[in-house]
Structures are given as C-alpha cells and as structure tokens.
Amino acid sequence: MELKDFLEHMNSGMTVTGGSETHLFMHKLSQEALRLTAELNNAYHTPEEIRSLMSNLIGKPVDESFAMFPPFYTDCGKNITIGKNVFINAGCKFQDQGGITIGDGSLIGHNVVMATLDHDFAPEKRSNLHPAPIVVEKNVWIGSNATVLAGVTIGDGAIVAAGAVVTKDVTANTIVGGVPAKFIKSVDNIEEKK
C-alpha cells in the first residue's frame, strides 16, 4: 500500500478492518510520526525549524506564517492540512487518520485533542476503525483542553470554550462550551474586551 491509497481509503470514510493491509499501513505511518514528534518535542527548535519539522510530519509545506509551541503529538500526521496564520499551542494531540483541516487564522489552545477515529461498537469488531474528518474553518479559536470528535466541522469565527467536548458541528460565529458542547451565544453579540 502507498500513502496515496491509504489517504484515499481514510478520506472515503470506509471502515478500517483490524489486521487489514490498511490497518497495518496505519501502524507503519505511526512509527514515522513517533520518530518525527520525538525529534520535534525533545529539543529546542527555532520557529523555522518547527515549520520544517511540521512540514516533514504532515508531508506538505506549512506556510511561513504558521507557528507552534511544542510539544505536539500525532500518531499519523499525513492527513493534516494547515492554513495560513495558524497557531497551535503546547501539548496538543491530533489523531488525524480520518483527516484534520485547520483553516486560516485559527488558534488551537493548550492540550487540545482532535480525534478522527472511532472503534466499532460491536465487541467482536472492536478493532475495526471508522474514520471521519474534523474541519476547523477560518478564524476559529479552540480553548485549552477542548476535545473535538470525529466528523465535526467548526464554522468560521466560532469559539470553543476551554474544556468543551465537541460532538456535533458548530455553527459559524457562535460560542459553544460544556460536555457535550452546546450553544452559549453568538460571537456577534459580544462587545470587544478593552
């Protein structure tokens, strides 16, 4: 299996059967991701070096405007797409096999978890995995310790409160929070802090 075939399988949303060729390829990719994240996380790197390491990890260039404070963790890396002017704070964990897209101008807080895989509910098929993408649109702010689950889209300008667990799509320009995350208010109704 080649990376292109793996990504096509994962991005189609098809089940990954435990022990299958796709599942074994996923484990192979995880070894590369573990090596690259160890290099990223275990020494000081300049912003330029961080961008270079992230480009290697995700398999495509990140923009010069991208910034991140390590440590950063992923067990794949190859299905992450990052826009311009994105900032990822320390301690984030991305399980990106199902696809994670982060739009321009988005801010990802400390220790955010994004998980794009679910295990099968049936106990006899529990090793099977069901991928679904996470899409973070433009100018989104995800607060510290939030968790975003598979299949969720967070609309332009939305805010996810710290500690929220996002299980459903978030409408553009809204604030959500809680477990599970629920609508709190519209961003348009908030006066800017002075």
Side-chain angles (χ1 to χ4, degrees):
M1 174 169 273
E2 300 292 328
L3 178 61
K4 177 181 176 285
D5 303 318
F6 172 78
L7 292 175
E8 283 177 6
H9 183 104
M10 301 308 285
N11 294 333
S12 74
M14 293 188 331
T15 297
V16 177
T17 303
S20 67
E21 180 183 17
T22 304
H23 192 239
L24 296 174
F25 189 83
M26 187 169 65
H27 283 285
K28 177 183 167 191
L29 285 179
S30 70
Q31 294 307 303
E32 180 183 358
L34 291 170
R35 180 182 58 77
L36 289 168
T37 54
E39 183 178 349
L40 175 67
N41 296 333
N42 291 313
Y44 170 77
H45 298 286
T46 66
E48 295 79 14
E49 290 169 336
I50 289 171
R51 284 191 290 275
S52 176
L53 286 164
M54 277 300 286
S55 294
N56 289 337
L57 182 60
I58 70 172
K60 52 190 149 304
V62 296
D63 191 76
E64 290 181 4
S65 61
F66 171 75
M68 182 174 67
F69 290 165
F72 173 79
Y73 304 95
T74 180
D75 54 0
C76 181
K78 298 302 188 227
N79 212 1
I80 298 173
T81 301
I82 300 171
K84 297 178 180 177
N85 297 305
V86 168
F87 175 68
I88 299 174
N89 219 324
C92 292
K93 298 170 181 75
F94 288 10
Q95 181 195 53
D96 62 285
Q97 288 90 340
I100 294 174
T101 301
I102 302 175
D104 296 348
S106 291
L107 307 172
I108 312 299
H110 289 93
N111 302 314
V112 167
V113 173
M114 294 192 191
T116 65
L117 293 175
D118 286 323
H119 288 276
D120 203 277
F121 285 173
E124 66 278 4
K125 296 181 181 178
R126 192 66 41 90
S127 65
N128 291 353
L129 300 164
H130 304 284
I134 292 172
V135 177
V136 177
E137 294 184 343
K138 294 181 180 178
N139 301 310
V140 170
W141 174 20
I142 301 178
S144 297
N145 295 302
T147 299
V148 182
L149 298 182
V152 167
T153 295
I154 300 173
D156 289 345
I159 297 172
V160 175
V165 177
V166 185
T167 62
K168 296 179 182 173
D169 290 352
V170 177
T171 305
N173 298 309
T174 61
I175 301 172
V176 299
V179 181
K182 292 186 177 14
F183 174 81
I184 296 173
K185 61 178 117 178
S186 172
V187 171
D188 300 332
N189 295 334
I190 298 174
E191 289 184 11
E192 293 220 17
K193 292 184 180 180
K194 298 184 182 191

